[in-house]
Protein backbone atom coordinates (compact mmCIF):
# COMPACT_ATOMS: atom_id res chain seq x y z
CA UNK A 1 0.00 0.00 0.00
CA UNK A 2 1.63 3.22 -1.23
CA UNK A 3 1.49 6.59 0.57
CA UNK A 4 4.02 8.61 -1.45
CA UNK A 5 1.50 11.04 -2.92
CA UNK A 6 0.07 13.88 -0.82
CA UNK A 7 -3.20 15.78 -0.63
CA UNK A 8 -3.07 19.46 0.33
CA UNK A 9 -5.69 21.10 2.54
CA UNK A 10 -5.84 24.87 2.27
CA UNK A 11 -7.74 26.88 4.88
CA UNK A 12 -7.95 30.62 4.10
CA UNK A 13 -5.48 32.62 6.19
CA UNK A 14 -3.51 29.53 7.23
CA UNK A 15 -0.55 27.63 5.84
CA UNK A 16 -1.45 24.63 3.64
CA UNK A 17 -1.27 21.22 5.32
CA UNK A 18 -0.43 17.99 3.52
CA UNK A 19 -1.81 14.52 4.18
CA UNK A 20 -0.64 11.19 2.72
CA UNK A 21 -2.77 9.49 0.07
CA UNK A 22 -3.06 5.74 0.72
CA UNK A 23 -3.49 3.47 -2.31
CA UNK A 24 -5.29 0.16 -1.62
CA UNK A 25 -5.13 -3.17 -3.44
CA UNK A 26 -8.62 -2.52 -4.82
CA UNK A 27 -10.99 0.40 -4.52
CA UNK A 28 -10.83 4.11 -3.75
CA UNK A 29 -7.72 5.85 -2.51
CA UNK A 30 -7.94 7.27 1.01
CA UNK A 31 -6.59 10.55 2.35
CA UNK A 32 -4.92 9.79 5.69
CA UNK A 33 -6.44 12.48 7.93
CA UNK A 34 -5.39 11.02 11.27
CA UNK A 35 -3.23 14.11 11.88
CA UNK A 36 -6.01 16.53 10.87
CA UNK A 37 -6.99 17.45 14.42
CA UNK A 38 -3.43 17.87 15.64
CA UNK A 39 -2.26 19.88 12.65
CA UNK A 40 -5.29 22.12 12.08
CA UNK A 41 -7.33 21.95 15.30
CA UNK A 42 -10.25 20.84 13.12
CA UNK A 43 -12.06 17.58 12.45
CA UNK A 44 -13.75 16.09 9.42
CA UNK A 45 -17.54 15.82 9.38
CA UNK A 46 -18.95 12.69 7.76
CA UNK A 47 -22.37 11.62 9.03
CA UNK A 48 -22.77 7.87 8.59
CA UNK A 49 -19.05 7.51 7.74
CA UNK A 50 -19.97 7.30 4.05
CA UNK A 51 -16.65 8.83 2.96
CA UNK A 52 -14.45 7.66 5.83
CA UNK A 53 -12.41 4.46 6.09
CA UNK A 54 -12.38 3.40 9.74
CA UNK A 55 -9.76 0.68 9.37
CA UNK A 56 -7.43 -1.23 7.07
CA UNK A 57 -8.73 -4.67 6.22
CA UNK A 58 -7.69 -7.56 3.98
CA UNK A 59 -10.85 -9.65 4.48
CA UNK A 60 -13.67 -8.51 2.19
CA UNK A 61 -13.78 -6.19 -0.80
CA UNK A 62 -16.90 -4.77 -2.44
CA UNK A 63 -16.94 -3.01 -5.81
CA UNK A 64 -20.36 -1.42 -5.96
CA UNK A 65 -19.97 -0.19 -9.54
CA UNK A 66 -19.06 -3.64 -10.89
CA UNK A 67 -21.35 -5.56 -8.55
CA UNK A 68 -18.40 -7.53 -7.20
CA UNK A 69 -17.89 -9.15 -3.79
CA UNK A 70 -14.61 -10.82 -2.84
CA UNK A 71 -13.75 -12.80 0.30
CA UNK A 72 -9.94 -12.68 0.69
CA UNK A 73 -9.74 -12.04 -3.06
CA UNK A 74 -12.00 -14.91 -4.11
CA UNK A 75 -15.24 -14.00 -5.98
CA UNK A 76 -18.38 -14.92 -4.05
CA UNK A 77 -19.69 -16.76 -7.14
CA UNK A 78 -16.73 -19.18 -7.12
CA UNK A 79 -16.89 -19.74 -3.36
CA UNK A 80 -20.58 -20.69 -3.42
CA UNK A 81 -19.91 -23.03 -6.34
CA UNK A 82 -16.83 -24.84 -5.04
CA UNK A 83 -16.78 -24.49 -1.22
CA UNK A 84 -18.95 -25.19 1.79
CA UNK A 85 -19.59 -22.76 4.63
CA UNK A 86 -16.89 -24.04 6.99
CA UNK A 87 -14.28 -23.74 4.26
CA UNK A 88 -15.35 -20.11 3.80
CA UNK A 89 -15.29 -19.52 7.57
CA UNK A 90 -11.73 -20.91 7.63
CA UNK A 91 -10.81 -18.65 4.72
CA UNK A 92 -12.18 -15.54 6.43
CA UNK A 93 -10.24 -16.29 9.60
CA UNK A 94 -6.95 -17.52 8.16
CA UNK A 95 -6.68 -15.80 4.79
CA UNK A 96 -6.43 -18.97 2.70
CA UNK A 97 -8.72 -21.87 1.87
CA UNK A 98 -7.96 -25.04 3.87
CA UNK A 99 -6.39 -28.17 2.45
CA UNK A 100 -8.03 -31.52 3.23
CA UNK A 101 -6.19 -31.97 6.54
CA UNK A 102 -6.88 -28.40 7.69
CA UNK A 103 -10.53 -28.68 6.76
CA UNK A 104 -10.94 -31.94 8.68
CA UNK A 105 -9.26 -30.47 11.76
CA UNK A 106 -11.30 -27.26 11.61
CA UNK A 107 -14.58 -29.14 11.13
CA UNK A 108 -13.78 -31.46 14.05
CA UNK A 109 -13.03 -28.49 16.31
CA UNK A 110 -16.29 -26.79 15.36
CA UNK A 111 -18.28 -29.98 15.92
CA UNK A 112 -16.64 -30.51 19.33
CA UNK A 113 -17.66 -27.01 20.47
CA UNK A 114 -21.23 -27.05 19.13
CA UNK A 115 -23.00 -27.94 22.44
CA UNK A 116 -23.69 -25.16 24.95
CA UNK A 117 -23.50 -25.31 28.73
CA UNK A 118 -26.61 -26.95 30.16
CA UNK A 119 -27.25 -23.94 32.41
CA UNK A 120 -27.73 -21.79 29.33
CA UNK A 121 -31.08 -23.48 28.72
CA UNK A 122 -32.33 -21.61 31.78
CA UNK A 123 -31.76 -18.26 30.09
CA UNK A 124 -34.46 -18.99 27.53
CA UNK A 125 -37.08 -19.45 30.23
CA UNK A 126 -36.61 -15.82 31.21
CA UNK A 127 -38.11 -14.69 27.89
CA UNK A 128 -41.75 -14.66 26.85
CA UNK A 129 -42.70 -17.48 24.51
CA UNK A 130 -43.83 -14.93 21.91
CA UNK A 131 -40.59 -12.93 22.09
CA UNK A 132 -38.87 -12.19 18.80
CA UNK A 133 -35.86 -14.47 18.40
CA UNK A 134 -33.35 -11.68 17.68
CA UNK A 135 -33.47 -10.06 21.15
CA UNK A 136 -33.37 -13.58 22.61
CA UNK A 137 -30.16 -14.14 20.65
CA UNK A 138 -28.75 -10.83 21.91
CA UNK A 139 -29.30 -11.88 25.52
CA UNK A 140 -28.09 -15.46 25.28
CA UNK A 141 -24.99 -14.74 23.19
CA UNK A 142 -24.08 -11.91 25.57
CA UNK A 143 -24.41 -14.35 28.45
CA UNK A 144 -21.62 -16.48 26.96
CA UNK A 145 -19.26 -13.82 28.33
CA UNK A 146 -20.12 -15.03 31.83
CA UNK A 147 -19.45 -18.66 30.91
CA UNK A 148 -16.17 -17.98 29.12
CA UNK A 149 -14.51 -15.16 31.01
CA UNK A 150 -11.11 -16.38 29.84
CA UNK A 151 -12.07 -15.15 26.34
CA UNK A 152 -11.33 -11.61 27.52
CA UNK A 153 -7.61 -12.50 27.53
CA UNK A 154 -6.49 -11.54 24.02
CA UNK A 155 -2.75 -11.96 24.65
CA UNK A 156 -2.74 -15.68 23.87
CA UNK A 157 -3.10 -16.62 20.19
CA UNK A 158 -4.44 -20.09 20.97
CA UNK A 159 -7.04 -18.65 23.33
CA UNK A 160 -8.19 -16.23 20.62
CA UNK A 161 -8.56 -19.09 18.15
CA UNK A 162 -10.48 -21.19 20.69
CA UNK A 163 -12.85 -18.27 21.29
CA UNK A 164 -13.46 -17.88 17.56
CA UNK A 165 -14.09 -21.60 17.16
CA UNK A 166 -16.47 -21.61 20.12
CA UNK A 167 -18.66 -18.75 18.94
CA UNK A 168 -18.87 -20.01 15.34
CA UNK A 169 -19.73 -23.49 16.65
CA UNK A 170 -22.33 -22.43 19.21
CA UNK A 171 -24.26 -19.89 17.16
CA UNK A 172 -26.42 -22.46 15.29
CA UNK A 173 -27.19 -24.19 18.60
CA UNK A 174 -28.20 -20.91 20.25
CA UNK A 175 -30.32 -19.82 17.27
CA UNK A 176 -32.04 -23.21 16.99
CA UNK A 177 -32.79 -23.22 20.73
CA UNK A 178 -34.33 -19.76 20.41
CA UNK A 179 -36.59 -21.05 17.64
CA UNK A 180 -37.55 -24.18 19.56
CA UNK A 181 -38.33 -22.12 22.66
CA UNK A 182 -40.70 -19.78 20.82
CA UNK A 183 -42.44 -22.86 19.37
CA UNK A 184 -42.81 -24.42 22.82
CA UNK A 185 -40.64 -27.39 21.81
CA UNK A 186 -37.72 -28.90 23.75
CA UNK A 187 -34.25 -28.14 22.37
CA UNK A 188 -32.66 -30.69 20.06
CA UNK A 189 -29.04 -31.65 20.70
CA UNK A 190 -26.55 -31.32 17.84
CA UNK A 191 -25.31 -34.39 15.98
CA UNK A 192 -21.62 -35.07 15.36
CA UNK A 193 -22.33 -36.82 12.05
CA UNK A 194 -23.89 -33.78 10.34
CA UNK A 195 -22.12 -30.88 8.69
CA UNK A 196 -22.57 -27.30 9.87
CA UNK A 197 -25.61 -26.31 7.78
CA UNK A 198 -27.37 -29.65 8.11
CA UNK A 199 -26.86 -29.63 11.88
CA UNK A 200 -28.41 -26.16 12.09
CA UNK A 201 -31.48 -27.28 10.14
CA UNK A 202 -31.70 -30.51 12.14
CA UNK A 203 -31.66 -28.66 15.49
CA UNK A 204 -34.44 -26.36 14.29
CA UNK A 205 -36.79 -28.83 12.65
CA UNK A 206 -36.12 -32.29 14.06
CA UNK A 207 -38.93 -33.86 16.06
CA UNK A 208 -37.98 -36.56 18.61
CA UNK A 209 -41.18 -38.43 17.74
CA UNK A 210 -40.30 -39.00 14.08
CA UNK A 211 -37.33 -39.66 11.83
CA UNK A 212 -35.80 -36.53 10.35
CA UNK A 213 -35.13 -36.61 6.61
CA UNK A 214 -32.39 -34.40 5.16
CA UNK A 215 -32.99 -33.24 1.60
CA UNK A 216 -29.54 -32.76 -0.01
CA UNK A 217 -30.82 -30.06 -2.39
CA UNK A 218 -32.23 -28.03 0.47
CA UNK A 219 -29.17 -28.58 2.66
CA UNK A 220 -26.85 -27.38 -0.10
CA UNK A 221 -29.05 -24.32 -0.64
CA UNK A 222 -28.96 -23.54 3.07
CA UNK A 223 -25.18 -23.90 3.14
CA UNK A 224 -24.89 -21.45 0.23
CA UNK A 225 -27.25 -19.08 1.99
CA UNK A 226 -24.78 -18.99 4.90
CA UNK A 227 -21.84 -18.36 2.55
CA UNK A 228 -23.61 -15.41 0.92
CA UNK A 229 -24.14 -13.78 4.31
CA UNK A 230 -20.75 -14.64 5.84
CA UNK A 231 -19.25 -11.13 5.57
CA UNK A 232 -19.96 -7.78 3.93
CA UNK A 233 -17.01 -5.52 4.75
CA UNK A 234 -17.53 -2.62 7.16
CA UNK A 235 -21.31 -2.58 7.35
CA UNK A 236 -23.15 -1.41 10.46
CA UNK A 237 -22.95 -4.66 12.45
CA UNK A 238 -19.31 -5.33 11.54
CA UNK A 239 -18.39 -1.79 12.53
CA UNK A 240 -20.24 -2.44 15.80
CA UNK A 241 -18.02 -5.48 16.44
CA UNK A 242 -14.90 -3.44 15.82
CA UNK A 243 -16.09 -0.50 17.91
CA UNK A 244 -17.12 -2.69 20.86
CA UNK A 245 -13.95 -4.76 20.52
CA UNK A 246 -11.75 -1.68 20.50
CA UNK A 247 -12.60 -1.14 24.17
CA UNK A 248 -11.31 -4.59 25.10
CA UNK A 249 -14.80 -6.03 25.61
CA UNK A 250 -15.24 -9.81 25.77
CA UNK A 251 -15.68 -11.02 22.14
CA UNK A 252 -18.97 -12.72 23.00
CA UNK A 253 -20.27 -9.32 24.15
CA UNK A 254 -19.05 -7.84 20.86
CA UNK A 255 -21.06 -10.41 18.89
CA UNK A 256 -24.11 -9.72 21.05
CA UNK A 257 -23.80 -6.02 20.23
CA UNK A 258 -23.50 -6.85 16.53
CA UNK A 259 -26.68 -8.97 16.65
CA UNK A 260 -28.52 -6.05 18.27
CA UNK A 261 -27.37 -3.83 15.40
CA UNK A 262 -28.25 -6.49 12.83
CA UNK A 263 -31.81 -6.74 14.17
CA UNK A 264 -32.71 -3.35 12.72
CA UNK A 265 -35.14 -3.14 9.82
CA UNK A 266 -32.53 -1.42 7.65
CA UNK A 267 -29.99 -4.20 8.23
CA UNK A 268 -30.65 -7.85 9.08
CA UNK A 269 -34.36 -7.21 9.49
CA UNK A 270 -34.70 -6.26 5.82
CA UNK A 271 -35.59 -9.80 4.66
CA UNK A 272 -38.39 -9.96 7.20
CA UNK A 273 -39.62 -6.55 6.00
CA UNK A 274 -39.57 -7.78 2.39
CA UNK A 275 -41.74 -10.76 3.26
CA UNK A 276 -44.15 -8.51 5.16
CA UNK A 277 -44.39 -6.28 2.08
CA UNK A 278 -45.28 -9.25 -0.13
CA UNK A 279 -47.91 -10.42 2.32
CA UNK A 280 -49.39 -6.91 2.44
CA UNK A 281 -49.64 -6.69 -1.35
CA UNK A 282 -51.21 -10.12 -1.33
CA UNK A 283 -52.21 -10.37 -4.99
CA UNK A 284 -50.26 -10.51 -8.24
CA UNK A 285 -52.75 -8.09 -9.80
CA UNK A 286 -51.67 -5.34 -7.38
CA UNK A 287 -47.95 -5.46 -8.23
CA UNK A 288 -48.05 -3.03 -11.18
CA UNK A 289 -50.07 -0.52 -9.15
CA UNK A 290 -47.64 -0.71 -6.22
CA UNK A 291 -44.64 -0.18 -8.46
CA UNK A 292 -46.32 2.83 -10.11
CA UNK A 293 -47.06 4.41 -6.74
CA UNK A 294 -43.46 3.87 -5.62
CA UNK A 295 -42.33 6.40 -8.27
CA UNK A 296 -44.58 9.20 -6.97
CA UNK A 297 -42.83 11.23 -4.30
CA UNK A 298 -46.10 12.33 -2.65
CA UNK A 299 -47.28 8.71 -2.42
CA UNK A 300 -44.03 6.80 -2.09
CA UNK A 301 -44.97 3.26 -1.20
CA UNK A 302 -41.41 2.03 -1.44
CA UNK A 303 -40.73 -1.43 -2.73
CA UNK A 304 -38.72 -3.02 0.06
CA UNK A 305 -35.81 -5.16 -1.09
CA UNK A 306 -34.83 -3.19 -4.18
CA UNK A 307 -31.56 -1.29 -4.41
CA UNK A 308 -28.71 -1.29 -1.90
CA UNK A 309 -26.59 1.75 -1.15
CA UNK A 310 -23.24 0.02 -1.47
CA UNK A 311 -24.02 -1.41 -4.93
CA UNK A 312 -24.49 0.67 -8.09
CA UNK A 313 -25.09 -2.53 -10.03
CA UNK A 314 -26.79 -5.86 -9.38
CA UNK A 315 -25.87 -7.21 -5.94
CA UNK A 316 -23.81 -10.33 -6.81
CA UNK A 317 -25.31 -12.15 -3.84
CA UNK A 318 -28.80 -11.44 -5.19
CA UNK A 319 -28.01 -13.15 -8.50
CA UNK A 320 -26.90 -16.26 -6.65
CA UNK A 321 -29.79 -16.11 -4.20
CA UNK A 322 -32.23 -15.83 -7.10
CA UNK A 323 -30.81 -19.02 -8.59
CA UNK A 324 -31.10 -20.77 -5.22
CA UNK A 325 -34.73 -19.68 -4.95
CA UNK A 326 -35.51 -21.25 -8.32
CA UNK A 327 -33.79 -24.52 -7.35
CA UNK A 328 -35.55 -24.75 -3.98
CA UNK A 329 -39.01 -23.79 -5.27
CA UNK A 330 -38.69 -26.37 -8.04
CA UNK A 331 -37.47 -29.06 -5.63
CA UNK A 332 -40.40 -28.40 -3.28
CA UNK A 333 -42.99 -27.92 -6.02
CA UNK A 334 -43.81 -24.41 -4.82
CA UNK A 335 -43.65 -22.61 -8.16
CA UNK A 336 -47.40 -21.96 -7.98
CA UNK A 337 -47.55 -20.92 -4.33
CA UNK A 338 -49.41 -17.55 -4.31
CA UNK A 339 -46.77 -15.72 -2.28
CA UNK A 340 -43.90 -17.00 -4.39
CA UNK A 341 -45.76 -16.23 -7.63
CA UNK A 342 -46.25 -12.71 -6.33
CA UNK A 343 -42.53 -12.35 -5.59
CA UNK A 344 -41.55 -13.66 -9.01
CA UNK A 345 -43.95 -11.25 -10.72
CA UNK A 346 -42.64 -8.31 -8.70
CA UNK A 347 -39.11 -9.35 -9.61
CA UNK A 348 -40.00 -9.57 -13.32
CA UNK A 349 -41.77 -6.22 -13.55
CA UNK A 350 -39.12 -4.33 -11.58
CA UNK A 351 -36.31 -5.74 -13.75
CA UNK A 352 -38.11 -4.57 -16.89
CA UNK A 353 -39.49 -1.24 -15.67
CA UNK A 354 -37.45 1.69 -17.13
CA UNK A 355 -37.60 3.66 -13.86
CA UNK A 356 -36.11 0.83 -11.82
CA UNK A 357 -33.57 -0.04 -14.52
CA UNK A 358 -32.43 3.59 -15.00
CA UNK A 359 -32.08 4.09 -11.24
CA UNK A 360 -30.44 0.68 -10.85
CA UNK A 361 -33.02 -0.45 -8.31
CA UNK A 362 -32.35 -4.12 -8.77
CA UNK A 363 -33.74 -6.73 -6.38
CA UNK A 364 -31.19 -7.07 -3.57
CA UNK A 365 -30.10 -10.02 -1.49
CA UNK A 366 -32.74 -9.34 1.19
CA UNK A 367 -35.59 -9.72 -1.30
CA UNK A 368 -34.53 -13.19 -2.40
CA UNK A 369 -33.22 -14.23 1.01
CA UNK A 370 -36.66 -13.85 2.57
CA UNK A 371 -38.28 -15.89 -0.19
CA UNK A 372 -35.64 -18.61 0.06
CA UNK A 373 -35.79 -18.90 3.83
CA UNK A 374 -39.60 -19.09 3.82
CA UNK A 375 -39.43 -21.84 1.20
CA UNK A 376 -36.97 -23.71 3.42
CA UNK A 377 -39.58 -23.60 6.19
CA UNK A 378 -38.15 -20.81 8.33
CA UNK A 379 -40.51 -18.30 9.97
CA UNK A 380 -39.82 -14.62 9.31
CA UNK A 381 -38.70 -14.12 12.92
CA UNK A 382 -35.71 -16.40 12.22
CA UNK A 383 -34.44 -14.62 9.10
CA UNK A 384 -32.17 -12.28 11.06
CA UNK A 385 -30.94 -15.14 13.25
CA UNK A 386 -29.79 -17.09 10.20
CA UNK A 387 -27.85 -14.04 8.99
CA UNK A 388 -26.32 -13.68 12.47
CA UNK A 389 -25.17 -17.31 12.43
CA UNK A 390 -23.58 -16.83 9.02
CA UNK A 391 -22.10 -13.41 9.73
CA UNK A 392 -20.40 -14.56 12.95
CA UNK A 393 -17.59 -16.06 10.85
CA UNK A 394 -16.96 -12.66 9.29
CA UNK A 395 -17.47 -10.74 12.53
CA UNK A 396 -14.86 -12.81 14.35
CA UNK A 397 -12.39 -12.54 11.46
CA UNK A 398 -12.84 -8.77 11.58
CA UNK A 399 -12.46 -8.76 15.38
CA UNK A 400 -9.23 -10.77 15.22
CA UNK A 401 -7.85 -8.56 12.45
CA UNK A 402 -8.57 -5.48 14.57
CA UNK A 403 -6.86 -6.98 17.62
CA UNK A 404 -3.74 -7.77 15.57
CA UNK A 405 -3.56 -4.31 13.97
CA UNK A 406 -0.72 -2.29 15.57
CA UNK A 407 -2.57 0.93 14.67
CA UNK A 408 -5.80 -0.06 16.41
CA UNK A 409 -7.02 2.08 19.30
CA UNK A 410 -10.28 2.54 21.14
CA UNK A 411 -12.92 4.02 18.85
CA UNK A 412 -13.71 7.65 19.66
CA UNK A 413 -15.63 9.44 16.87
CA UNK A 414 -15.76 13.22 17.07
CA UNK A 415 -18.87 15.35 16.78
CA UNK A 416 -20.00 18.66 15.34
CA UNK A 417 -21.60 20.22 18.40
CA UNK A 418 -24.66 22.36 17.58
CA UNK A 419 -26.20 22.73 21.08
CA UNK A 420 -26.43 25.81 23.29
CA UNK A 421 -23.33 27.91 23.96
CA UNK A 422 -21.91 27.97 27.48
CA UNK A 423 -24.36 29.50 29.96
CA UNK A 424 -24.85 29.80 33.71
CA UNK A 425 -27.45 27.91 35.72
CA UNK A 426 -30.10 30.40 36.99
CA UNK A 427 -31.16 30.41 40.63
CA UNK A 428 -34.06 28.14 41.57
CA UNK A 429 -36.53 31.00 42.12
CA UNK A 430 -35.71 32.41 38.68
CA UNK A 431 -36.49 29.10 36.94
CA UNK A 432 -40.19 29.22 37.77
CA UNK A 433 -40.77 31.57 34.85
CA UNK A 434 -38.77 29.51 32.35
Amino acid sequence: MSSERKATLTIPGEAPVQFPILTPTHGNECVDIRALGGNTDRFGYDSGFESTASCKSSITYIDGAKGELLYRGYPIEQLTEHCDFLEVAYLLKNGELPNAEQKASFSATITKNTPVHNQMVNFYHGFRRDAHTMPVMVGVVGALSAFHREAADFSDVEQRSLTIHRIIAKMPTIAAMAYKYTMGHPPVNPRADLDYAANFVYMMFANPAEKFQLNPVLMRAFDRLLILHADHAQDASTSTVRMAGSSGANPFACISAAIACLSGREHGGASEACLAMLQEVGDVRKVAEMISRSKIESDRSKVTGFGLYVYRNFDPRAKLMRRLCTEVLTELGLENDPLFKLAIELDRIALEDPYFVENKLYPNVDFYSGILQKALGLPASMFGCVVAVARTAGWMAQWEEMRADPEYKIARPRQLYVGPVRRDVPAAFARSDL
Side-chain angles (χ1 to χ4, degrees):
M1 182 172 61
S2 172
S3 61
E4 296 177 358
R5 297 163 60 226
K6 306 283 185 180
T8 301
L9 173 65
T10 302
I11 300 173
E14 300 182 19
V17 182
Q18 290 191 321
F19 301 96
I21 296 176
L22 306 179
T23 303
T25 307
H26 283 301
N28 300 334
E29 293 183 325
C30 293
V31 179
D32 185 350
I33 61 170
R34 285 175 290 178
L36 177 64
N39 290 345
T40 70
D41 200 28
R42 291 175 175 85
F43 303 125
Y45 176 71
D46 182 20
S47 178
F49 306 106
E50 294 180 348
S51 298
T52 302
S54 61
C55 64
K56 297 174 184 174
S57 181
S58 61
I59 299 172
T60 300
Y61 172 69
I62 299 170
D63 189 321
K66 293 181 180 178
E68 183 177 61
L69 173 62
L70 309 177
Y71 291 169
R72 299 287 191 179
Y74 293 110
I76 189 66
E77 296 87 350
Q78 294 180 22
L79 290 171
T80 55
E81 181 68 24
H82 303 295
C83 302
D84 62 31
F85 176 73
L86 282 187
E87 288 176 304
V88 172
Y90 184 97
L91 168 70
L92 291 172
K93 178 183 182 298
N94 298 293
E96 298 293 342
L97 287 166
N99 58 32
E101 183 180 347
Q102 290 167 333
K103 180 182 177 181
S105 176
F106 185 66
S107 297
T109 301
I110 296 298
T111 300
K112 177 183 176 182
N113 286 282
T114 300
V116 297
H117 196 287
N118 190 55
Q119 281 185 289
M120 292 205 71
V121 178
N122 298 330
F123 281 93
Y124 291 90
H125 297 291
F127 296 97
R128 290 171 55 104
R129 288 283 183 182
D130 60 354
H132 195 288
T133 49
M134 283 296 272
V136 173
M137 290 276 290
V138 171
V140 176
V141 172
L144 284 171
S145 300
F147 285 84
H148 301 286
R149 288 176 292 177
E150 71 281 359
D153 178 12
F154 313 133
S155 60
D156 186 77
V157 175
E158 290 187 7
Q159 179 59 53
R160 287 205 305 268
S161 288
L162 177 58
T163 296
I164 294 172
H165 294 153
R166 277 175 172 166
I167 188 62
I168 292 174
K170 296 181 190 306
M171 283 293 284
T173 310
I174 291 171
M177 289 172 68
Y179 171 65
K180 285 293 192 182
Y181 178 74
T182 60
M183 296 295 292
H185 299 164
V188 174
N189 291 325
R191 281 171 43 181
D193 62 318
L194 297 178
D195 65 28
Y196 192 85
N199 219 351
F200 189 10
V201 174
Y202 169 75
M203 288 188 287
M204 282 194 291
F205 297 124
N207 184 337
E210 57 189 35
K211 186 177 180 180
F212 184 73
Q213 298 291 334
L214 289 169
N215 183 317
V217 174
L218 303 188
M219 291 306 98
R220 178 58 177 152
F222 194 80
D223 188 83
R224 289 176 175 174
L225 172 69
L226 296 180
I227 292 174
L228 293 173
H229 284 302
D231 198 54
H232 208 235
Q234 305 308 310
D235 61 10
S237 56
T238 300
S239 297
T240 298
V241 170
R242 283 182 174 264
M243 182 167 284
S246 74
S247 73
N250 187 297
F252 295 106
C254 298
I255 298 301
S256 176
I259 297 170
C261 178
L262 185 71
S263 68
R265 178 186 173 90
E266 301 300 320
H267 199 0
S271 293
E272 190 173 348
C274 289
L275 189 63
M277 175 199 69
L278 291 173
Q279 292 171 332
E280 183 178 349
V281 174
D283 194 317
V284 173
R285 293 171 294 182
K286 297 180 181 179
V287 171
E289 177 189 349
M290 183 188 70
I291 287 182
S292 296
R293 290 208 325 265
S294 71
K295 306 171 192 176
I296 304 172
E297 192 167 348
S298 60
D299 183 23
R300 194 171 297 277
S301 301
K302 292 193 183 237
V303 183
T304 308
F306 285 75
L308 195 64
Y309 175 78
V310 72
Y311 292 104
R312 294 293 178 267
N313 203 317
F314 212 109
D315 181 345
R317 301 169 302 165
K319 291 182 180 180
L320 298 167
M321 201 76 78
R322 189 172 190 250
R323 190 185 311 159
L324 289 179
C325 284
T326 302
E327 292 175 6
V328 169
L329 294 177
T330 301
E331 175 70 16
L332 296 175
L334 293 173
E335 305 97 318
N336 295 317
D337 180 275
L339 188 67
F340 297 129
K341 287 183 69 175
L342 172 61
I344 292 168
E345 180 65 8
L346 177 57
D347 175 32
R348 183 191 68 79
I349 293 177
L351 287 175
E352 296 175 357
D353 187 280
Y355 175 85
F356 280 78
V357 173
E358 290 169 13
N359 289 279
K360 298 184 178 179
L361 296 175
Y362 304 109
N364 62 34
V365 69
D366 299 311
F367 180 79
Y368 297 115
S369 181
I371 300 169
L372 176 61
Q373 291 184 75
K374 179 170 174 57
L376 290 170
L378 291 160
S381 61
M382 282 297 294
F383 291 176
C385 296
V386 171
V387 177
V389 170
R391 189 61 58 83
T392 296
W395 285 337
M396 291 309 297
Q398 298 274 352
W399 173 85
E400 186 175 37
E401 182 180 65
M402 178 208 66
R403 297 301 314 182
D405 185 353
E407 296 180 351
Y408 114 90
K409 58 184 68 176
I410 186 170
R412 181 59 175 87
R414 301 294 182 170
Q415 66 176 13
L416 180 65
Y417 177 71
V418 294
V421 297
R422 186 186 188 281
R423 50 184 173 169
D424 296 322
V425 176
F429 71 87
R431 282 182 249 155
S432 60
D433 296 329
L434 294 178

